[in-house]
């Protein structure tokens, strides 16, 4: 990657390039509530969260942050942050209650209100078509394991493009398809709660076909740029012997999306592995890679933490900080690295490694947006009504400095969306894990800007990070 120098840093701060897009992100099921309001159909997360034992504390998204009613408050908070864009997602079953055919006009009305409110506030709507809340009726027809879903999703994308395409500033087809396929269909921790590797690998491929169909549908109905958001992993081997395993893990999470989209194939490293490669499992048909490889205008990258991997000791006993992950492999929590409330490592340099070692060699000059980055901590409101989330501030500063470094390395990162605007429904963790720049009191729905939100607002205003 050619090193490029531009006046990015003065003595006391790290300046981001002119026009760098600052944003904040949420997702429909995590904030809206209104689970059956105004014609919305059930999603797989409505079903899953109401299934005993699936979500911590029995939490569900029936009300969440009540953004179905309080989106005006959310827009006011975005204005307070001074961000240029808001990344929101559309609830497919709010727009198509059964996922196919009939369109719910009141569902379109809701998103028109939100999008119009953003435009009026001078905030660009960055819209994710799918952020995990599949219409239950489509899951009843096989969900992402049914190849027909690629057409159903293309139909939904066309409806969204025609309804909102004149005001949306950028489209993201899918959020984290790896999580959809492998957490939803392989280990079952997320909706629909299936544990079947064969269905997971089928879902992996059908998500990509759906993505390709959505790109075409959006191109036909909207002039806005189109991309996809992938949660990519940085696997760090702690010994030379673990390097091969680390490479396989990166192929299983990164390669199974980056390679089909940008190289028209699945990772060669997974050839013959039918439990991870859709090609080896026989799902690839003639013409598929032409659909999947539809040219994009940007790549969205979600990143939170690296993973350290090693080989199990000869005695078969995991050492302190090691968790067995296979017959001879372990994941490792290195001493001395902070961990968040989610038990994720805090290691800011890893986002720079992700962008320079994994993303840039694939995307080249294609614009990249950090569409999610953030951290969860045990936040609380002090007697004087403050949330002094100093750990989140440290995480934010560290990762922004690392993104700044990646830009200086020549990676064309064009924007950063903090995850998340609000504390919200953190999937299987329910409301126990807070990621927001804004604290939400779920009993009263009051929103309170945290110290990290104030710091983020000052970084956005300066387009720079104080050293
Ligand atoms: O776990 C934090 C976030 N990760 N990416 C997807 C989002 O929906 C999650 O809340």
């Amino acid at each position: 990657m050619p090193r490029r120098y531009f006046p990015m840093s003065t003595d006391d701060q790290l300046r981001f390039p002119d026009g760098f897009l600052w944003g904040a992100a949420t997702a429909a099921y995590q904030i809206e509530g209104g689970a059956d309001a105004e014609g919305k159909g059930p999603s797989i997360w409505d079903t899953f969260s109401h299934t005993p034992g699936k979500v911590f504390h029995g939490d569900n998204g029936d009300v969440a942050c009540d953004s179905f009613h309080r989106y005006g408050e959310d827009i006011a908070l975005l204005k307070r942050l001074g961000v240029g864009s808001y990344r929101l997602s559309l609830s497919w079953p709010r727009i198509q209650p059964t996922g196919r055919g009939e369109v719910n006009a009141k569902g379109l009305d809701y998103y028109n209100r939100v999008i119009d409110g953003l435009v009026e506030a001078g905030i660009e709507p960055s819209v994710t078509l799918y952020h995990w809340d599949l219409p239950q009726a489509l899951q009843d027809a096989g969900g992402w394991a049914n190849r027909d879903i690629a057409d159903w999703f293309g139909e939904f994308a066309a409806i969204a493009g025609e309804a909102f395409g004149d005001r949306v500033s950028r489209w993201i087809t899918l959020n984290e398809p790896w999580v959809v396929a492998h957490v939803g269909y392989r280990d079952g921790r997320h909706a629909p709660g299936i544990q079947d590797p064969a269905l997971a690998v089928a879902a992996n491929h059908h998500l990509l076909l759906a993505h390709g169909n959505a790109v075409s549908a959006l191109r036909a109905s909207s002039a806005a740029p189109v991309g996809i958001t992938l949660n990519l992993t940085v696997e760090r081997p702690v010994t030379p012997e673990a390097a091969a395993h680390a490479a396989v893990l990166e192929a299983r999470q990164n390669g199974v999306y980056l390679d089909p989209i940008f190289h028209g194939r699945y990772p060669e490293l997974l050839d013959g592995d039918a439990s991870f490669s859709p090609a080896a499992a026989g799902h690839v048909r003639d013409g598929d890679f032409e659909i999947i490889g539809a040219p994009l205008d940007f790549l969205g990258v979600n990143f939170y933490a690296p993973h350290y991997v090693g080989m199990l000791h000869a005695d078969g006993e995991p050492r302190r900080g090691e968790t067995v992950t296979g017959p001879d492999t372990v994941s490792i929590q290195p001493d001395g690295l902070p961990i968040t409330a989610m038990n994720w490592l805090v290691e800011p340099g890893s986002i720079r490694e992700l962008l320079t070692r994994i993303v840039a060699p694939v995307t080249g000059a294609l614009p990249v947006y950090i569409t999610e980055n953030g951290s969860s901590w045990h936040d609380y409101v002090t007697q004087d009504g403050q949330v002094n989330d100093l750990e989140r501030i440290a995480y934010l500063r560290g990762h922004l400095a690392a993104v700044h470094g990646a830009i200086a390395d020549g990676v064309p990162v064009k924007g950063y969306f903090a995850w998340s605007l609000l504390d919200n429904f953190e999937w299987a963790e329910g409301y126990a894990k807070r990621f927001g720049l804004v604290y939400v009191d779920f009993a009263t729905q009051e929103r309170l800007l945290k110290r990290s939100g104030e710091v983020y607002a000052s970084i956005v205003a300066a387009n720079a990070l104080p050293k």
Side-chain angles (χ1 to χ4, degrees):
M1 179 58 58
R3 289 185 69 82
R4 290 186 327 186
Y5 292 92
F6 36 88
M8 287 180 68
S9 306
T10 56
D11 290 346
D12 59 351
Q13 60 179 11
L14 298 176
R15 274 196 57 73
F16 282 78
D18 290 347
F20 189 79
L21 186 67
W22 294 97
T26 63
Y29 189 78
Q30 296 182 266
I31 67 161
E32 287 179 3
D36 58 1
E38 299 185 14
K40 174 183 168 293
S43 78
I44 57 175
W45 270 95
D46 290 307
T47 305
F48 193 74
S49 67
H50 283 272
T51 305
K54 299 298 185 187
V55 177
F56 177 75
H57 189 244
D59 290 343
N60 60 58
D62 289 358
V63 177
C65 306
D66 192 27
S67 291
F68 184 68
H69 300 104
R70 298 170 184 268
Y71 62 90
E73 297 176 44
D74 300 343
I75 293 172
L77 286 162
L78 291 160
K79 283 185 72 173
R80 170 72 183 76
L81 293 174
V83 294
S85 184
Y86 178 44
R87 178 180 173 233
L88 65 145
S89 82
L90 304 177
S91 168
W92 189 347
R94 195 178 295 287
I95 292 171
Q96 284 185 289
T98 62
R100 284 176 274 185
E102 181 221 349
V103 173
N104 174 27
K106 288 186 180 297
L108 294 179
D109 291 347
Y110 169 65
Y111 290 109
N112 276 318
R113 291 197 296 275
V114 177
I115 291 168
D116 289 345
L118 289 167
V119 171
E120 200 174 310
I123 298 169
E124 292 181 359
S126 295
V127 175
T128 304
L129 285 180
Y130 183 73
H131 200 125
W132 305 357
D133 44 356
L134 187 74
Q136 181 60 48
L138 298 188
Q139 186 59 44
D140 296 342
W144 291 106
N146 180 344
R147 186 180 168 105
D148 292 341
I149 197 164
D151 295 329
W152 305 336
F153 189 62
E155 179 190 322
F156 171 59
I159 292 165
E162 279 141 28
F164 313 119
D166 59 329
R167 290 152 289 153
V168 167
S169 298
R170 59 193 58 74
W171 293 100
I172 293 164
T173 55
L174 300 173
N175 179 76
E176 302 184 1
W178 179 85
V179 173
V180 178
H182 297 277
V183 185
Y185 287 79
R186 183 183 298 274
D187 72 26
R189 285 183 298 112
H190 281 186
I194 293 172
Q195 294 178 305
D196 184 332
L199 295 186
V201 79
N204 190 132
H205 190 64
H206 302 155
L207 280 151
L208 283 165
L209 287 172
H211 156 73
N213 285 347
V215 173
S216 300
L218 291 169
R219 296 285 190 224
S221 54
S222 169
V226 182
I228 187 172
T229 278
L230 302 178
N231 61 306
L232 301 173
T233 186
V234 171
E235 299 291 334
R236 289 188 166 160
V238 296
T239 63
E241 295 72 26
H245 179 56
V248 168
L249 292 178
E250 288 187 355
R252 288 177 178 173
Q253 181 165 339
N254 304 343
V256 289
Y257 289 100
L258 290 172
D259 287 12
I261 291 170
F262 292 100
H263 300 314
R265 57 163 163 74
Y266 281 102
E268 289 161 8
L269 195 57
L270 302 180
D271 281 355
D273 183 350
S275 63
F276 283 96
S277 168
H283 293 294
V284 178
R285 296 181 191 171
D286 289 348
D288 283 0
F289 286 125
E290 283 68 35
I291 296 168
I292 293 169
L296 300 178
D297 300 300
F298 64 89
L299 176 67
V301 173
N302 290 357
F303 184 77
Y304 291 88
H307 296 141
Y308 286 79
V309 294
M311 305 314 289
L312 192 57
H313 289 268
D315 63 10
E317 289 303 318
R319 300 306 191 262
R320 189 168 63 88
E322 293 183 348
T323 306
V324 176
T325 52
D328 58 358
T329 55
V330 290
S331 72
I332 298 164
Q333 200 137 52
D335 285 341
L337 279 183
I339 54 172
T340 70
M342 291 285 280
N343 278 330
W344 295 350
L345 295 171
V346 179
E347 212 278 276
S350 54
I351 198 169
R352 182 172 185 173
E353 176 183 348
L354 172 76
L355 290 166
T356 53
R357 176 171 68 83
I358 294 171
V359 172
V362 172
T363 55
L366 189 73
V368 174
Y369 289 90
I370 303 298
T371 37
E372 285 181 30
N373 176 247
S375 55
S376 173
W377 304 95
H378 299 295
D379 302 327
Y380 60 91
V381 182
T382 60
Q383 292 279 359
D384 60 348
Q386 301 283 329
V387 178
N388 296 312
D389 53 337
L390 303 183
E391 303 94 338
R392 184 173 288 104
I393 292 168
Y395 180 100
L396 179 66
R397 288 178 50 87
H399 286 76
L400 283 176
V403 169
H404 184 277
I407 295 170
D409 292 341
V411 184
V413 182
K414 302 299 181 186
Y416 175 95
F417 290 80
W419 184 269
S420 176
L421 170 67
L422 302 171
D423 293 337
N424 59 49
F425 179 80
E426 179 52 32
W427 308 112
E429 305 288 340
Y431 298 101
K433 298 293 187 293
R434 293 176 177 271
F435 277 87
L437 297 171
V438 174
Y439 185 92
V440 177
D441 178 333
F442 292 104
T444 66
Q445 290 298 345
E446 279 178 70
R447 279 106 160 108
L448 172 63
L449 193 65
K450 302 176 188 176
R451 284 283 297 280
S452 61
E454 292 167 8
V455 170
Y456 191 60
S458 63
I459 292 167
V460 170
N463 191 38
L465 180 65
K467 278 181 180 171

